[in-house]
Amino acid sequence: MQRNIFTRWLVATLLLSGLMAPWVQAAESTILTLTAPGGFSKEYGRIELESLPQAAFETITPWTKGKHGYRGPLLRELIRQVRPDADRVNVVALNNYSHEVRLSDYDDYALILAMSEDGKALTRRNKGPLWLLVPFSDHPKLSEDPNVQASMVWQIVRLEVLD
């Protein structure tokens, strides 16, 4: 009995101290792979992406009915952790659809990797686990731009930073 209590205490202590973080992260499934020139590759799970600074907005999109709230990390912040001067990213979906996004085109907008809609995690059934989005309702002209619409990739599985 005392051994069981000690084991629980030890595991809790290690978890709280962060020493078990690599094992916990390894157990988390990958939802995004980020690559960059020079052979860089990093895998992210939902928990790790949620630990990044988040942005949120409510918007109407051309692909949904009504206004919804979306939340997720800013794409430019995620990319700049790897390559601060990067401006081009190839966004790749589960079905291999891809679109090159120029980050400087979105300097005035919150371009997020939406992970949730109305407080619920996005799933493959509703354009997740990641969906690139801008606040269309705040900037209506964006919803009329075919390049912007093509950039709003859903079911994202990979981001490829380009030179």
Side-chain angles (χ1 to χ4, degrees):
M1 181 72 166
Q2 286 182 334
R3 185 177 213 189
N4 193 17
I5 292 171
F6 176 75
T7 302
R8 287 183 189 172
W9 172 85
L10 180 61
V11 169
T13 302
L14 290 172
L15 278 172
L16 291 173
S17 69
L19 293 175
M20 290 188 68
W23 290 287
V24 172
Q25 186 176 0
E28 182 187 13
S29 63
T30 299
I31 62 170
L32 178 69
T33 301
L34 175 63
T35 63
F40 176 87
S41 182
K42 181 172 180 171
E43 295 180 341
Y44 293 85
R46 178 172 293 281
I47 294 170
E48 189 170 7
L49 288 172
E50 287 174 343
S51 73
L52 298 172
Q54 304 286 298
F57 53 76
E58 288 188 351
T59 192
I60 295 171
T61 78
W63 308 279
T64 57
K65 293 181 180 179
K67 188 178 261 191
H68 297 280
Y70 297 95
R71 178 178 165 81
L74 290 166
L75 178 62
R76 72 176 69 91
E77 295 304 320
L78 177 63
I79 299 304
R80 290 191 176 138
Q81 287 183 1
V82 175
R83 179 84 42 110
D85 59 342
D87 188 46
R88 296 180 313 124
V89 179
N90 191 42
V91 181
V92 184
L94 181 64
N95 65 358
N96 285 324
Y97 170 82
S98 66
H99 189 81
E100 184 179 313
V101 174
R102 187 171 300 276
L103 297 174
S104 58
D105 290 346
Y106 297 92
D107 281 344
D108 298 329
Y109 312 105
L111 180 62
I112 68 169
L113 287 169
M115 299 178 64
S116 67
E117 178 183 78
D118 299 330
K120 296 178 185 170
L122 289 173
T123 66
R124 287 184 181 169
R125 291 182 182 260
N126 66 345
K127 301 185 176 28
L130 300 169
W131 182 12
L132 195 60
L133 275 179
V134 293
F136 288 107
S137 295
D138 294 342
H139 310 282
K141 67 178 182 170
L142 292 177
S143 63
E144 299 168 7
D145 184 332
N147 186 54
V148 172
Q149 287 190 11
S151 298
M152 301 299 105
V153 179
W154 55 72
Q155 293 182 331
I156 297 169
V157 294
R158 191 170 64 253
L159 299 173
E160 302 166 344
V161 178
L162 304 172
D163 276 333

